[in-house]
C-alpha cells in the first residue's frame, strides 16, 4: 500500500516528521518498506506566465518568449517546446536554479539570442510523465512567482507499507489514518459522506444467485454524465502518488474511492447492459474479454457479475471490455459489493493476473462500506462529470457476523508483563474504533466490520501491546526454574543421530516436501500422490512419499559442479494416503552414497562404494537393535541389490543400489547407494541391562557349510540360532567360498560359533552335543557340513 503523507494529513494530522512516523508505523506492525519524496531535489523553479511568443530569427524550431516570473520585470527565454503559447502558466527555472542531476541554469545565448532561464517539462523536473509533448502546463489560477515545490507540494513524502494479510483495514488512507490516530492520539477526521440528491428515476436491478459468496451488492444509475471531463489535477496527483495511473475521470473516481476509504468499485456503461446485474458462479467454458486485453475461459469456481446476456466481469478481480465506460459513455452504473474473501483468493494465480481490487477483496473488505462508497463516488461524479443520480438498489446475501470478545485486564498484564491502566486501555480501544464496554474483569468488544481479524482475547491483547508500544514494555530479565523433560532410556537423543551421520562422513541436506510427480512414479511407484491445489511451480505439484528424489537431485547438482564423491543425508517427513484415503505423515531418514569409499590417496586403491558399505552404515545407525536384511524388490532399486531392513519383525526401511534405468534417465555416470529408514526405529533403542562378565574362557567352533545359492546366510544363521541355547554368545559368518571343491550352484559358508558359560569352564561333553544339534538344524535348511 502506497500513500501520500499530505493526503493522510487530511484525515489524521499527527505532529510527527515523516521519519518519526515511519518508525512509529513499523513498530506498530505496519512495516514501512520504503519512504521517498514526491520529486527529486531541485531549487529555483517558480510558476511563470508566458506573455508573448515570437519566432527565433535563426532557428525554425525555437521561439523567443517574454515571461512573467514574479520578478517585477519580464524575462526573455528561448524555448523549443512545441506547446509554448501566450497565456499559459508553466514551471520556470531562473538563473541560479539547480535541476535534478545537478544541472545548473545560467544566462546564455541560443543562436545569438540571449536566454535568461528555462521553461520546464515534467521530465526536466523529475516528475511523472504527464503524456504531454513539451512544457508542463499548470492550472490557470497558479500564482505567478510561487515556488513550484510549494505549489505542487513536491516535498510530500510517499510511504510504501508492507501490509500483513490480516490488516486489510489498512489498505486505504482512511484505515491508515485511523491507525495513526490510535498511535498518536491525534484527531481522526475521515471524509464526510454526503447523501446525493436524487435527480433521476432510473434504477439498475440487481440480484445475488450465490448468497454465500456475495453478502451485499449495490448499484446506482447516474444519467447524462460527461465522460470526456478531465480528471482534476488534485485527484491525478493523489492517484499517481499512490502508484495508480490516471486513465479517465470515471475510472479514476472508482480508483480514488478505493484508495480513500478502502472499497473497490466498478463503473459500467449503463447503455451496454441488458436487464438485471446478477452475481453468480460462472459456467464451465464461459469466456470473458477483460479490460487488460486478455480473454479468459472461466471455471465454475469463479464468481462473476453478469447480465441477462452473459458475463460482464470477474467479481472482485477485473472488469470486462464489453461493458466498460469510454469517452462516448452517457449513462453509468456504479457498483459496490462485498465478496467473501475465500471465493476471491487464488483467482489471480488461476487466471494469471491480479488487480488492486482483488488484492483487497481476498484479504477482506469492510462489509458495511458499500453504501458509503456509492455515495462518495456519486458525489465525485456529479462534481466532475455532472449528471443526475438515481436511487441505490441493494441485494443482500450472507454477511459475516460480528464477534464479541472479552478482554481481562489481569490476563493483559500476565501476557504483556506490564500493567496498563484501565483508562489507557479504554482510550486505545476507542481510538482503534473497537467501542469497548466495561465489564467486571475488563472490557467487552464487538469486533467492527473493518476488523474481521479480532476474534479472541489474544487479538485484543496484541492490539493493546502494539499501540501502547513494545519499546515501552520494560526489558527485565525473566528468571525461573526450568525443568528439562526426561528422555526415556529407550529413546535415543536426536542430536546423536546427526552426530552419527556426520561422523560417518555424511552431510545434511534440506529439500522441498513438494516434488515432481515423476519422481513419485519413478522412485516410489506412487501413481496417486497427494496433490497440491496451488503448487509453487509445475515441478512442485505433489507431496513426497520418499526422500530418494530429493537426494538424487542433490547428487545431480554436485555432479554438475564436478564433485564426484558425495555422501548426504536428510531427516524429514514424507506424506502418503492410507487404505482409507486419509493423509498420513511420518518422519524418515534417507541417505545417499556415491563415488569412492575413501578420498583419492596413495595409500589405498580407489574402490567404489558397494552394497555392503552402505549396509554397514545402516547397521551402525541401528546399533543396539536386532536388525536383519531381507531381499526385496523396490521400484527405485536394482533387482538383486536391494533389501528391506527388518527390526523386531517389522520392515522399517530399505537399502540398495539405484536401478540402472534411473541412472540413464537422470544422467548418472555410476550407481549411488541409498537407504531410507523410519526415524522411530532409529531413535528407539533397547533398555540397557546389566550383565556379568564371565570369568571363564570362551570356546570357539568353526563350521563350514555347503548349501545352494538360493539359501541365504540369514536362513543359515536363523536355523543355527533357533537350535542354540544361552551358552552361545555369538554366531557370525567369516568366509564365503565358491570354486574348486564346491559343486556348481553351491557355495561354502564358514561360520564361527562363540560359546561361554558364566559359572563353569565348558568341556567337550557340553559343547559337542550342542554343536551337533545346530548342525542338524542347518541340514534342515539344505546346509550340509562340508567334508
Amino acid at each position: 500500500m502506497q500513500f501520500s503523507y499530505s493526503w493522510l494529513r487530511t484525515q489524521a494530522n499527527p505532529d510527527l516528521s515523516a521519519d518519526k512516523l515511519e518508525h512509529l508505523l513499523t513498530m506498530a506492525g505496519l512495516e514501512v518498506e520504503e519512504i521517498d519524496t514526491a520529486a527529486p531535489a531541485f531549487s529555483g523553479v517558480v510558476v511563470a506566465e508566458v506573455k508573448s511568443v515570437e519566432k527565433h530569427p535563426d532557428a525554425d524550431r525555437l521561439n523567443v518568449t517574454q515571461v512573467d516570473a514574479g520578478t517585477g520585470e519580464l524575462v526573455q527565454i528561448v524555448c523549443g517546446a512545441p506547446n509554448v503559447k501566450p497565456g499559459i502558466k508553466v514551471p520556470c527555472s531562473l538563473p541560479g536554479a539547480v535541476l535534478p542531476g545537478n544541472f545548473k541554469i545560467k544566462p546564455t545565448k541560443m543562436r545569438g539570442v540571449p536566454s535568461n532561464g528555462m521553461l520546464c517539462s515534467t521530465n526536466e523536473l523529475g516528475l511523472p510523465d504527464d503524456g504531454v509533448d513539451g512544457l508542463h502546463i499548470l492550472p490557470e489560477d497558479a500564482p505567478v512567482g510561487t515556488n513550484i515545490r510549494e505549489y505542487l507540494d513536491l516535498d510530500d513524502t510517499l510511504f510504501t507499507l508492507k501490509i500483513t494479510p490480516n490488516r486489510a483495514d489498512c489498505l486505504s488512507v482512511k484505515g491508515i489514518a485511523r491507525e495513526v490516530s490510535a498511535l498518536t492520539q491525534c484527531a481522526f477526521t475521515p471524509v464526510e459522506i454526503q447523501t446525493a440528491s436524487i435527480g433521476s428515476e432510473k434504477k439498475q436491478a440487481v440480484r445475488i444467485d450465490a448468497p454465500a459468496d456475495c453478502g451485499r451488492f449495490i448499484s446506482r444509475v447516474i444519467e447524462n454524465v460527461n465522460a470526456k471531463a478531465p480528471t482534476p489535477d488534485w485527484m491525478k496527483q493523489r492517484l499517481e502518488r499512490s502508484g495508480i495511473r490516471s486513465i479517465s475521470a470515471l475510472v479514476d473516481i472508482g480508483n480514488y474511492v478505493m484508495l480513500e476509504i478502502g472499497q473497490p468499485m466498478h463503473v459500467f456503461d449503463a447503455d451496454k447492459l441488458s436487464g438485471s446485474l446478477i452475481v453468480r458462479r460462472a459456467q464451465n467454458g464461459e469466456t470473458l474479454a477483460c479490460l487488460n486485453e486478455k480473454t479468459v475461459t472461466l471455471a465454475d469456481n469463479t464468481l462473476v457479475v453478469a447480465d441477462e446476456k452473459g458475463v460482464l466481469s470477474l467479481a472482485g478481480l477485473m472488469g470486462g471490455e464489453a461493458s466498460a465506460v469510454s469517452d462516448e459513455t452517457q449513462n453509468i452504473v456504479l457498483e459496490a459489493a462485498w465478496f467473501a474473501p475465500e471465493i476471491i483468493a487464488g483467482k489471480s494465480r488461476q487466471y494469471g493476473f491480479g488487480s488492486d481490487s482483488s488484492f483487497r477483496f481476498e484479504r477482506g473488505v469492510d462489509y458495511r462500506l458499500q453504501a458509503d462508497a456509492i455515495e462518495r463516488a456519486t458525489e465525485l461524479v456529479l462534481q466532475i462529470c455532472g449528471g443526475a443520480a438515481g436511487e441505490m438498489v441493494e441485494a443482500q446475501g450472507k454477511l459475516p457476523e460480528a464477534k464479541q470478545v472479552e478482554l481481562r485486564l489481569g490476563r493483559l498484564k500476565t501476557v504483556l508483563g506490564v500493567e496498563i491502566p484501565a483508562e489507557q486501555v479504554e482510550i486505545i480501544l476507542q481510538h482503534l474504533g473497537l467501542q469497548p464496554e466495561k465489564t467486571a474483569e475488563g472490557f467487552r468488544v464487538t469486533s467492527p466490520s473493518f476488523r474481521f481479524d479480532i476474534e479472541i482475547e489474544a487479538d485484543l491483547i496484541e492490539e493493546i501491546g502494539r499501540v501502547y508500544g513494545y519499546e515501552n514494555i520494560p526489558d527485565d530479565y525473566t528468571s525461573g526454574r526450568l525443568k528439562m523433560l526426561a528422555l526415556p532410556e529407550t529413546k535415543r537423543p536426536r542430536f546423536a543421530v546427526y552426530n552419527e551421520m556426520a561422523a560417518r562422513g555424511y552431510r545434511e541436506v534440506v529439500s522441498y516436501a513438494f516434488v515432481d510427480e515423476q519422481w513419485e512414479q519413478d522412485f516410489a511407484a506412487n501413481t496417486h500422490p497427494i496433490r497440491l491445489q496451488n503448487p509453487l511451480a509445475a515441478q512442485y505439484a505433489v507431496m513426497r512419499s520418499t526422500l530418494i528424489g530429493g537426494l538424487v537431485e542433490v547428487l545431480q547438482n554436485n555432479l554438475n559442479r564436478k564433485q564426484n564423491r558425495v555422501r548426504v543425508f536428510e531427516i524429514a517427513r514424507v506424506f502418503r494416503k492410507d487404505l482409507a484415503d486419509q493423509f498420513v505423515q511420518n518422519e524418515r531418514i534417507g541417505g545417499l552414497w556415491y563415488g569412492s569409499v575413501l578420498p583419492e590417496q596413495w595409500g589405498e586403491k580407489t574402490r567404489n562404494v558397494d552394497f555392503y558399505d552402505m549396509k554397514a552404515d545402516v547397521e551402525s545407525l541401528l546399533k543396539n537393535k536386532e536388525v536383519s536384511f531381507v531381499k526385496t524388490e523396490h521400484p527405485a532399486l536394482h533387482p538383486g541389490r536391494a533389501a528391506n531392513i527388518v527390526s523386531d519383525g517389522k520392515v522399517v526401511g530399505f537399502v540398495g543400489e539405484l536401478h540402472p534405468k534411473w541412472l540413464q534417465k537422470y544422467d548418472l555416470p555410476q550407481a549411488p547407494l541409498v537407504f531410507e529408514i523410519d526415524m522411530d526405529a532409529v531413535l528407539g533403542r533397547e533398555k540397557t541391562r546389566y550383565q556379568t562378565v564371565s570369568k571363564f574362557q570362551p570356546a570357539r567352533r568353526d563350521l563350514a557349510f555347503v548349501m545352494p545359492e538360493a539359501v541365504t546366510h540369514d536362513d543359515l544363521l536363523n536355523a543355527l540360532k533357533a537350535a542354540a541355547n544361552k551358552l552361545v554368545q555369538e554366531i557370525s559368518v567369516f568366509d564365503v567360498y565358491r570354486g574348486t571343491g564346491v559343486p556348481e550352484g553351491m557355495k561354502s559358508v564358514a561360520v564361527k560359533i562363540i560359546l561361554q558359560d558364566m559359572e563353569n569352564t565348558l568341556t567337550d561333553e557340553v559343547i559337542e552335543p550342542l554343536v551337533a544339534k545346530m548342525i542338524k538344524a542347518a541340514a534342515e535348511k539344505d546346509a550340509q557340513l562340508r567334508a
Side-chain angles (χ1 to χ4, degrees):
M1 170 66 187
Q2 182 175 313
F3 67 92
S4 152
Y5 198 6
S6 292
W7 191 1
L8 175 70
R9 286 184 183 277
T10 63
Q11 298 192 34
N13 191 11
D15 186 19
L16 291 177
S17 67
D19 290 339
K20 289 184 178 179
L21 180 62
E22 175 192 12
H23 175 76
L24 185 67
L25 290 174
T26 299
M27 292 301 296
L30 301 178
E31 181 184 350
V32 179
E33 276 193 307
E34 186 179 358
I35 184 170
D36 200 1
T37 56
F42 62 82
S43 62
V45 182
V46 298
V47 176
E49 181 180 0
V50 179
K51 291 297 188 180
S52 66
V53 178
E54 297 178 359
K55 282 292 182 182
H56 191 288
D58 293 326
D60 293 339
R61 296 187 179 181
L62 297 180
N63 294 295
V64 180
T65 67
Q66 299 296 322
V67 174
D68 180 6
T71 60
E73 57 184 24
L74 296 183
V75 180
Q76 179 172 290
I77 297 176
V78 177
C79 177
N83 62 340
V84 64
K85 60 182 180 180
I88 63 172
K89 292 183 178 179
V90 295
C92 174
S93 54
L94 298 173
V98 180
L99 298 185
N102 201 31
F103 180 67
K104 298 179 179 179
I105 303 299
K106 300 177 182 178
T108 186
K109 286 187 177 182
M110 300 185 69
R111 292 288 184 93
V113 176
S115 180
N116 295 308
M118 185 173 77
L119 305 183
C120 301
S121 66
T122 54
N123 290 336
E124 288 162 339
L125 297 179
L127 302 179
D129 189 1
D130 58 1
V132 176
D133 181 18
L135 303 176
H136 179 41
I137 308 297
L138 300 174
E140 294 180 0
D141 59 355
V144 171
T146 303
N147 187 303
I148 200 70
R149 295 193 72 89
E150 178 185 338
Y151 176 70
L152 296 179
D153 194 19
L154 299 182
D155 292 320
D156 188 12
T157 303
L158 308 184
F159 289 84
T160 301
L161 301 185
K162 186 176 182 180
I163 303 294
T164 53
N166 66 314
R167 294 306 309 272
D169 61 299
C170 289
L171 291 172
S172 66
V173 174
K174 178 182 178 181
I176 298 169
R178 182 192 297 115
E179 194 74 10
V180 170
S181 171
L183 295 172
T184 65
Q185 309 297 307
C186 72
F188 173 46
T189 54
V191 173
E192 185 177 347
I193 304 299
Q194 304 288 341
T195 301
S197 299
I198 305 303
S200 170
E201 297 181 358
K202 190 82 178 283
K203 296 181 181 180
Q204 174 60 57
V206 294
R207 188 174 85 230
I208 299 175
D209 288 352
D213 301 331
C214 179
R216 177 173 283 121
F217 192 75
I218 302 179
S219 72
R220 166 174 273 167
V221 175
I222 303 180
E223 293 186 295
N224 301 319
V225 299
N226 176 16
K228 296 180 181 179
T231 302
D233 288 340
W234 62 267
M235 182 180 288
K236 277 186 182 180
Q237 184 188 85
R238 289 180 175 179
L239 290 174
E240 287 169 355
R241 294 183 184 180
S242 300
I244 293 182
R245 179 174 57 91
S246 174
I247 297 173
S248 68
L250 293 175
V251 175
D252 291 349
I253 288 169
N255 287 332
Y256 182 83
V257 172
M258 176 184 70
L259 292 172
E260 186 178 58
I261 65 174
Q263 172 65 49
M265 298 187 64
H266 192 67
V267 184
F268 293 101
D269 187 323
D271 298 322
K272 297 178 181 178
L273 304 181
S274 178
S276 300
L277 287 178
I278 307 164
V279 183
R280 61 172 174 83
R281 291 286 186 101
Q283 299 173 6
N284 280 323
E286 283 187 296
T287 60
L288 175 68
C290 299
L291 289 172
N292 59 1
E293 300 181 354
K294 289 186 178 181
T295 299
V296 295
T297 301
L298 306 177
D300 60 4
N301 67 344
T302 304
L303 194 68
V304 298
V305 178
D307 62 6
E308 306 295 344
K309 289 184 178 180
V311 178
L312 298 173
S313 68
L314 290 170
L317 181 61
M318 183 72 67
E321 190 176 344
S323 58
V325 295
S326 65
D327 287 348
E328 285 68 44
T329 296
Q330 295 182 343
N331 306 305
I332 63 170
V333 174
L334 297 178
E335 170 258 300
W338 184 85
F339 301 122
E342 55 269 20
I343 193 63
I344 307 299
K347 297 304 180 292
S348 297
R349 184 178 298 142
Q350 179 177 342
Y351 291 107
F353 56 84
S355 65
D356 290 307
S357 295
S358 66
F359 188 80
R360 287 163 172 79
F361 275 124
E362 65 188 7
R363 284 160 174 76
V365 170
D366 183 348
Y367 57 86
R368 293 180 179 171
L369 198 58
Q370 292 69 46
D372 284 352
I374 292 288
E375 293 287 13
R376 178 61 171 152
T378 302
E379 177 187 354
L380 293 171
V381 169
L382 297 181
Q383 175 185 328
I384 298 168
C385 302
E391 294 280 359
M392 285 193 291
V393 179
E394 178 177 349
Q396 281 200 10
K398 183 179 180 181
L399 289 169
E401 295 180 0
K403 298 181 178 63
Q404 285 198 336
V405 184
E406 300 282 342
L407 174 64
R408 296 165 294 170
L409 294 177
R411 181 61 178 166
L412 177 69
K413 179 181 177 181
T414 300
V415 174
L416 295 184
V418 63
E419 185 170 3
I420 304 176
E423 296 78 10
Q424 188 173 356
V425 171
E426 184 175 15
I427 291 172
I428 291 174
L429 294 175
Q430 287 174 345
H431 276 276
L432 287 171
L434 301 181
Q435 299 176 354
E437 301 174 12
K438 290 184 178 180
T439 64
E441 293 186 281
F443 296 94
R444 179 185 299 111
V445 166
T446 301
S447 57
S449 57
F450 56 85
R451 288 303 302 272
F452 62 91
D453 60 313
I454 302 293
E455 296 182 329
I456 59 177
E457 185 178 33
D459 296 328
L460 290 175
I461 294 174
E462 179 187 8
E463 293 299 299
I464 299 297
R466 67 184 189 80
V467 175
Y468 177 77
Y470 295 128
E471 66 270 31
N472 295 324
I473 298 175
D475 54 352
D476 295 337
Y477 290 103
T478 59
S479 62
R481 293 181 178 179
L482 301 179
K483 185 177 180 180
M484 300 295 293
L485 294 176
L487 184 69
E489 191 177 355
T490 55
K491 279 287 186 181
R492 187 181 184 188
R494 291 182 66 89
F495 73 85
V497 179
Y498 290 92
N499 289 344
E500 173 76 18
M501 295 303 293
R504 299 190 73 84
Y506 289 84
R507 298 192 178 200
E508 186 186 10
V509 298
V510 178
S511 58
Y512 279 123
F514 319 133
V515 299
D516 193 325
E517 186 173 356
Q518 192 62 50
W519 291 1
E520 284 295 295
Q521 295 180 17
D522 293 347
F523 300 126
N526 185 5
T527 56
H528 299 288
I530 300 173
R531 299 185 181 278
L532 298 173
Q533 289 187 347
N534 296 305
L536 296 173
Q539 66 268 33
Y540 300 123
V542 300
M543 301 294 288
R544 66 184 173 198
S545 65
T546 177
L547 302 175
I548 301 302
L551 295 173
V552 170
E553 183 182 42
V554 170
L555 173 60
Q556 287 178 305
N557 291 335
N558 278 272
L559 291 176
N560 290 338
R561 289 158 180 80
K562 306 302 180 184
Q563 299 297 317
N564 297 320
R565 187 172 179 272
V566 179
R567 297 179 76 176
V568 292
F569 79 99
E570 179 172 17
I571 299 177
R573 294 191 180 276
V574 296
F575 310 84
R576 60 182 175 81
K577 297 178 183 176
D578 62 13
L579 296 177
D581 211 32
Q582 298 297 312
F583 295 161
V584 178
Q585 59 176 319
N586 64 304
E587 192 176 35
R588 295 174 76 85
I589 178 172
L592 179 145
W593 190 351
Y594 176 92
S596 60
V597 176
L598 297 173
E600 187 176 1
Q601 57 176 294
W602 62 270
E604 293 284 346
K605 289 185 178 180
T606 299
R607 176 178 70 82
N608 286 332
V609 61
D610 61 22
F611 178 88
Y612 298 100
D613 295 310
M614 183 64 92
K615 178 174 175 286
D617 285 350
V618 171
E619 289 174 329
S620 175
L621 195 59
L622 294 169
K623 57 189 170 187
N624 299 326
K625 296 178 77 71
E626 286 290 333
V627 178
S628 61
F629 297 83
V630 181
K631 182 180 177 181
T632 189
E633 298 287 333
H634 190 282
L637 304 181
H638 192 307
R641 301 181 189 176
N644 279 334
I645 304 168
V646 180
S647 176
D648 297 329
K650 178 183 175 183
V651 176
V652 297
F654 59 84
V655 59
E657 184 180 298
L658 201 66
H659 200 293
K661 63 183 178 182
W662 307 138
L663 304 187
Q664 183 177 3
K665 179 173 181 178
Y666 293 95
D667 196 23
L668 303 177
Q670 65 188 58
L673 277 295
V674 296
F675 73 82
E676 191 172 305
I677 313 173
D678 287 333
M679 275 299 287
D680 286 342
V682 176
L683 295 175
R685 65 181 179 185
E686 306 238 351
K687 187 174 182 179
T688 304
R689 292 183 176 87
Y690 167 77
Q691 183 173 338
T692 304
V693 178
S694 177
K695 299 177 182 179
F696 303 97
Q697 291 287 338
R700 172 171 172 158
R701 293 292 185 270
D702 291 345
L703 305 175
F705 295 94
V706 177
M707 58 191 192
E709 290 283 2
V711 179
T712 67
H713 87 284
D714 269 355
D715 295 334
L716 174 62
L717 294 183
N718 289 336
L720 295 174
K721 290 175 182 177
N725 61 20
K726 65 178 183 178
L727 297 179
V728 178
Q729 303 297 315
E730 180 185 350
I731 304 174
S732 60
V733 174
F734 67 86
D735 185 47
V736 178
Y737 172 74
R738 298 174 180 87
T740 305
V742 177
E744 188 176 350
M746 307 290 282
K747 60 186 176 184
S748 173
V749 179
V751 178
K752 72 174 180 179
I753 302 174
I754 305 297
L755 303 97
Q756 191 175 34
D757 194 354
M758 304 300 294
E759 299 176 355
N760 300 292
T761 299
L762 293 176
T763 64
D764 288 345
E765 288 77 10
V766 176
I767 295 173
E768 295 307 326
L770 178 57
V771 172
K773 181 182 177 183
M774 297 172 71
I775 292 172
K776 182 180 178 181
E780 294 176 0
K781 293 293 184 180
D782 294 332
Q784 302 297 327
L785 195 64
R786 184 176 176 184

